[in-house]
Amino acid sequence: MHPQLELLLELQDLHTQRRALQDEPLRDMEEAVFDLKPEEALDLLDAKITELVGRLDPGIQSRYLSFIGTLGRAVVPVLNGICYGCFVATPTAWSAEAGRNDSIGVCAHCGRFLYYVD
Amino acid sequence: MQLRDFFTLEAISLDLAAETKDEALRELVGLLGLDEKSRGILFKMLKRRENLGSTGIGRRIAIPHCRSLVVNRLRVAFGRKLPGIDFDAIDKKPVQHIFLIVAPPLEVSNQYLPVLGRIAQFGKEPDIPERLAQIERPEEFIALLEEKGV
Ligand SMILES: [Zn+2]
């Protein structure tokens, strides 16, 4: 896997975790069952996100930030040739070879970073 | 929806080799049959969640959980370590029973929260830690879920 793609995946997962802590039902469960302190957790996540964003290559970083900022999702899975960002099957999304995640691919239709899931 | 529908026998280990929390998380992730890179990313995310606060809910039960792009559907696993593992749990006691839950960021049927809730509810039943400790085969774990109607 391309090291920058690995970083992108990690970042997208952290954003998902962040959003989950702002989503009421899940936040309530995290507090009630796991005794989590949401505000402290958000601060910790933000610090980690800032650190990882700083490790992205400049071109990748700007694309990442623009998608995360406007739509909340910059890295999306590709399942059965469909980009799960825009739900369109694009030529880039149809790639079926092994090692598909060894390079950084973006959806020809919506422009998000693609991650191929088996 | 029933919890038993999510558990496969291959994702149940009644005798974890792990001695530490990290080893336990790795071993549980290993039960899901993902490729090496995905396992590494998932482990990292679970660790990040643990760093926000332990998922050891007390009474020897832990429920590590996260959403990640590396899985394409909701996955669960169960691992047991009778001598116990230090999980930094709420009650500071070692953990014997670990339920792993992972889901993709978006799910068509949105099962992550209900499954997490049901496992937490199951874990809170007074006799569960003892019953889980007595199980001898993975099939009995499934039967216990059925018996409790979760
Ligand atoms: Zn797309």
Short mmCIF file of all heavy atoms in Angstrom, two decimals, chain A residues 76-78 82-90 92-93 106-114, ligand 1:
data_model
loop_
_atom_site.label_atom_id
_atom_site.label_comp_id
_atom_site.label_asym_id
_atom_site.label_seq_id
_atom_site.Cartn_x
_atom_site.Cartn_y
_atom_site.Cartn_z
N VAL A 76 -12.66 7.39 -0.04
CA VAL A 76 -13.87 6.56 -0.09
C VAL A 76 -13.53 5.16 -0.58
O VAL A 76 -12.59 4.96 -1.35
CB VAL A 76 -14.95 7.19 -1.02
CG1 VAL A 76 -15.49 8.47 -0.41
CG2 VAL A 76 -14.39 7.43 -2.40
N PRO A 77 -14.29 4.15 -0.13
CA PRO A 77 -14.03 2.80 -0.60
C PRO A 77 -14.55 2.58 -2.02
O PRO A 77 -15.51 3.24 -2.44
CB PRO A 77 -14.80 1.93 0.39
CG PRO A 77 -15.84 2.79 0.98
CD PRO A 77 -15.37 4.21 0.87
N VAL A 78 -13.90 1.67 -2.72
CA VAL A 78 -14.40 1.21 -4.02
C VAL A 78 -14.80 -0.25 -3.82
O VAL A 78 -14.00 -1.07 -3.39
CB VAL A 78 -13.31 1.27 -5.10
CG1 VAL A 78 -13.86 0.76 -6.43
CG2 VAL A 78 -12.80 2.68 -5.26
N ILE A 82 -17.58 0.34 -7.91
CA ILE A 82 -18.36 1.55 -7.67
C ILE A 82 -17.63 2.43 -6.66
O ILE A 82 -17.23 1.96 -5.59
CB ILE A 82 -19.77 1.23 -7.09
CG1 ILE A 82 -20.50 0.19 -7.95
CG2 ILE A 82 -20.59 2.50 -6.88
CD1 ILE A 82 -21.11 0.73 -9.21
N CYS A 83 -17.49 3.71 -7.00
CA CYS A 83 -16.93 4.66 -6.04
C CYS A 83 -18.03 4.98 -5.02
O CYS A 83 -19.11 5.42 -5.39
CB CYS A 83 -16.51 5.95 -6.76
SG CYS A 83 -16.26 7.35 -5.65
N TYR A 84 -17.73 4.74 -3.75
CA TYR A 84 -18.75 4.99 -2.72
C TYR A 84 -18.77 6.45 -2.25
O TYR A 84 -19.39 6.77 -1.25
CB TYR A 84 -18.58 4.01 -1.55
CG TYR A 84 -19.38 2.74 -1.78
CD1 TYR A 84 -19.10 1.94 -2.89
CD2 TYR A 84 -20.42 2.37 -0.94
CE1 TYR A 84 -19.84 0.80 -3.15
CE2 TYR A 84 -21.17 1.23 -1.19
CZ TYR A 84 -20.88 0.44 -2.29
OH TYR A 84 -21.64 -0.68 -2.54
N GLY A 85 -18.09 7.30 -3.01
CA GLY A 85 -18.21 8.73 -2.74
C GLY A 85 -19.35 9.30 -3.56
O GLY A 85 -20.17 10.07 -3.08
N CYS A 86 -19.41 8.88 -4.83
CA CYS A 86 -20.43 9.44 -5.73
C CYS A 86 -21.35 8.37 -6.29
O CYS A 86 -22.30 8.66 -7.00
CB CYS A 86 -19.75 10.21 -6.86
SG CYS A 86 -18.68 9.17 -7.88
N PHE A 87 -21.06 7.10 -5.97
CA PHE A 87 -21.87 5.96 -6.43
C PHE A 87 -21.93 5.85 -7.95
O PHE A 87 -22.93 5.46 -8.52
CB PHE A 87 -23.27 5.99 -5.78
CG PHE A 87 -23.18 5.83 -4.29
CD1 PHE A 87 -23.16 6.94 -3.45
CD2 PHE A 87 -23.03 4.56 -3.74
CE1 PHE A 87 -23.01 6.79 -2.08
CE2 PHE A 87 -22.89 4.40 -2.36
CZ PHE A 87 -22.88 5.52 -1.54
N VAL A 88 -20.81 6.21 -8.57
CA VAL A 88 -20.71 6.07 -10.02
C VAL A 88 -19.56 5.09 -10.30
O VAL A 88 -18.54 5.11 -9.62
CB VAL A 88 -20.42 7.45 -10.68
CG1 VAL A 88 -19.96 7.29 -12.12
CG2 VAL A 88 -21.66 8.33 -10.60
N ALA A 89 -19.77 4.22 -11.28
CA ALA A 89 -18.68 3.35 -11.71
C ALA A 89 -17.85 4.11 -12.73
O ALA A 89 -18.34 4.45 -13.80
CB ALA A 89 -19.25 2.08 -12.34
N THR A 90 -16.63 4.44 -12.35
CA THR A 90 -15.77 5.21 -13.25
C THR A 90 -14.64 4.32 -13.75
O THR A 90 -14.36 3.30 -13.13
CB THR A 90 -15.16 6.43 -12.53
OG1 THR A 90 -14.27 5.94 -11.55
CG2 THR A 90 -16.23 7.30 -11.91
N THR A 92 -11.53 4.63 -13.48
CA THR A 92 -10.52 4.45 -12.43
C THR A 92 -11.02 3.47 -11.39
O THR A 92 -10.25 2.74 -10.79
CB THR A 92 -10.20 5.78 -11.74
OG1 THR A 92 -11.37 6.57 -11.67
CG2 THR A 92 -9.09 6.51 -12.43
N ALA A 93 -12.31 3.45 -11.18
CA ALA A 93 -12.86 2.59 -10.13
C ALA A 93 -12.97 1.14 -10.58
O ALA A 93 -13.20 0.26 -9.78
CB ALA A 93 -14.23 3.11 -9.70
N VAL A 106 -7.57 8.64 -7.75
CA VAL A 106 -8.73 9.48 -7.43
C VAL A 106 -9.85 9.15 -8.40
O VAL A 106 -9.62 8.74 -9.53
CB VAL A 106 -8.42 11.00 -7.45
CG1 VAL A 106 -7.38 11.37 -6.41
CG2 VAL A 106 -7.97 11.44 -8.83
N CYS A 107 -11.08 9.31 -7.95
CA CYS A 107 -12.24 9.02 -8.77
C CYS A 107 -12.33 10.02 -9.91
O CYS A 107 -12.25 11.24 -9.69
CB CYS A 107 -13.50 9.07 -7.91
SG CYS A 107 -15.02 8.93 -8.87
N ALA A 108 -12.49 9.52 -11.14
CA ALA A 108 -12.56 10.39 -12.31
C ALA A 108 -13.84 11.23 -12.29
O ALA A 108 -13.94 12.26 -12.95
CB ALA A 108 -12.51 9.56 -13.59
N HIS A 109 -14.81 10.80 -11.52
CA HIS A 109 -16.09 11.51 -11.49
C HIS A 109 -16.16 12.54 -10.35
O HIS A 109 -16.49 13.70 -10.58
CB HIS A 109 -17.23 10.50 -11.36
CG HIS A 109 -18.59 11.11 -11.49
ND1 HIS A 109 -19.42 11.28 -10.42
CD2 HIS A 109 -19.23 11.63 -12.57
CE1 HIS A 109 -20.53 11.86 -10.83
NE2 HIS A 109 -20.45 12.08 -12.12
N CYS A 110 -15.84 12.12 -9.12
CA CYS A 110 -15.99 13.07 -8.00
C CYS A 110 -14.65 13.59 -7.45
O CYS A 110 -14.64 14.55 -6.69
CB CYS A 110 -16.81 12.44 -6.87
SG CYS A 110 -15.95 11.13 -5.96
N GLY A 111 -13.56 12.95 -7.81
CA GLY A 111 -12.25 13.46 -7.41
C GLY A 111 -11.74 12.99 -6.05
O GLY A 111 -10.64 13.36 -5.65
N ARG A 112 -12.53 12.17 -5.35
CA ARG A 112 -12.06 11.71 -4.04
C ARG A 112 -10.99 10.63 -4.18
O ARG A 112 -10.93 9.93 -5.19
CB ARG A 112 -13.23 11.15 -3.23
CG ARG A 112 -14.24 12.19 -2.81
CD ARG A 112 -15.32 11.50 -1.99
NE ARG A 112 -16.32 12.42 -1.49
CZ ARG A 112 -17.41 12.78 -2.18
NH1 ARG A 112 -17.60 12.31 -3.40
NH2 ARG A 112 -18.29 13.60 -1.65
N PHE A 113 -10.18 10.49 -3.12
CA PHE A 113 -9.18 9.43 -3.10
C PHE A 113 -9.89 8.08 -2.98
O PHE A 113 -10.87 7.95 -2.24
CB PHE A 113 -8.23 9.59 -1.90
CG PHE A 113 -7.39 10.83 -1.98
CD1 PHE A 113 -7.68 11.93 -1.18
CD2 PHE A 113 -6.30 10.89 -2.84
CE1 PHE A 113 -6.90 13.08 -1.24
CE2 PHE A 113 -5.51 12.04 -2.92
CZ PHE A 113 -5.82 13.14 -2.11
N LEU A 114 -9.37 7.09 -3.70
CA LEU A 114 -10.02 5.78 -3.72
C LEU A 114 -9.23 4.74 -2.92
O LEU A 114 -8.01 4.68 -2.99
CB LEU A 114 -10.14 5.30 -5.17
CG LEU A 114 -10.97 6.18 -6.11
CD1 LEU A 114 -10.90 5.64 -7.53
CD2 LEU A 114 -12.44 6.25 -5.63
ZN ZN C 1 -16.51 9.17 -7.06
#
